[in-house]
Amino acid sequence: MKFIRLEKVRDGKYLKNYELTYLNKAGREKKYEIVSRKELQDVNDLGAKVSGVSIIATMDDKLLLLHEFRMGVNKRIYNLCAGMIEEHETIEDCIRRELYEETGLQVKKIRSILPPSYSAVAISDVKTYIAFVDAAGSFDDHSSANEDIEKDFYTREQVEKLLESEEFSSRAQLAAYFFTKGSL
């Protein structure tokens, strides 16, 4: 595939829509639509900046899962605590802020942060970190009026049952699966 051009189609408040044009293996133009959280000038900007973090938090050998209403699918799903890195914020500060804002919990220890990965590579260039943390404290609600979040810690057995019957975001589903296997 050979890149030809990038054109902004729509400039939304949080997402920008772009049309990418490539020359395919058969020598014909292929148009592809994506969304980005960033302003893109050319092909080199695709995936160049990290947008946020997903947080895999545990406490007392239990996994934190959010059961939250997501407008994009018009239903509640199980998800990880996650959020966007603010301008001039370190990833560590973002982890602390997002965990607190969505749950009221504190970060006891950041165990590791994986290198950035693509969140939805089929439709977006959004890249986020995945952080593994030990949490402390108790739940409190600091979420915005636009967030509908139920939060709780779950045992391995409870997570196993949720995986059989409930809907998850893909990252939360992977984290939950590996948690049930004792790999987190």
Side-chain angles (χ1 to χ4, degrees), residues 121-167:
V121 73
I123 61 168
S124 178
D125 73 330
V126 172
K127 277 171 89 170
T128 60
Y129 292 98
I130 298 177
F132 296 84
V133 307
D134 295 329
S138 57
F139 291 124
D140 195 0
D141 190 8
H142 299 277
S143 61
S144 80
N146 294 324
E147 294 179 308
D148 184 359
I149 301 172
E150 296 170 0
K151 56 246 173 212
D152 207 348
F153 282 98
Y154 297 87
T155 65
R156 291 185 195 326
E157 295 76 23
Q158 289 171 318
V159 172
E160 248 178 42
K161 288 185 175 147
L162 291 174
L163 285 169
E164 292 172 4
S165 61
E166 300 297 327
E167 292 189 281

Side-chain angles (χ1 to χ4, degrees), residues 16-42:
K16 295 149 185 3
N17 298 67
Y18 292 91
E19 186 175 86
L20 308 175
T21 305
Y22 285 87
L23 197 58
N24 71 14
K25 293 187 296 186
R28 291 189 287 268
E29 281 192 8
K30 164 70 177 162
K31 294 191 183 290
Y32 196 82
E33 296 176 58
I34 68 157
V35 294
S36 181
R37 293 190 180 276
K38 307 294 182 184
E39 190 70 39
L40 307 175
Q41 301 301 317
D42 63 40

Side-chain angles (χ1 to χ4, degrees), residues 94-118:
C94 177
I95 293 165
R96 288 181 188 90
R97 179 182 52 76
E98 285 295 341
L99 185 65
Y100 181 74
E101 283 180 1
E102 293 188 356
T103 67
L105 297 170
Q106 304 294 319
V107 172
K108 181 177 177 181
K109 178 182 178 184
I110 297 174
R111 287 186 278 135
S112 64
I113 302 171
L114 295 179
S117 59
Y118 293 98

Side-chain angles (χ1 to χ4, degrees), residues 6-18 34-49 51 125-126:
L6 174 145
E7 177 184 351
K8 186 189 287 184
V9 178
R10 182 177 178 275
D11 195 7
K13 183 174 181 179
Y14 299 107
L15 294 174
K16 295 149 185 3
N17 298 67
Y18 292 91
I34 68 157
V35 294
S36 181
R37 293 190 180 276
K38 307 294 182 184
E39 190 70 39
L40 307 175
Q41 301 301 317
D42 63 40
V43 70
N44 297 317
D45 292 339
L46 289 169
K49 294 181 180 175
S51 298
D125 73 330
V126 172

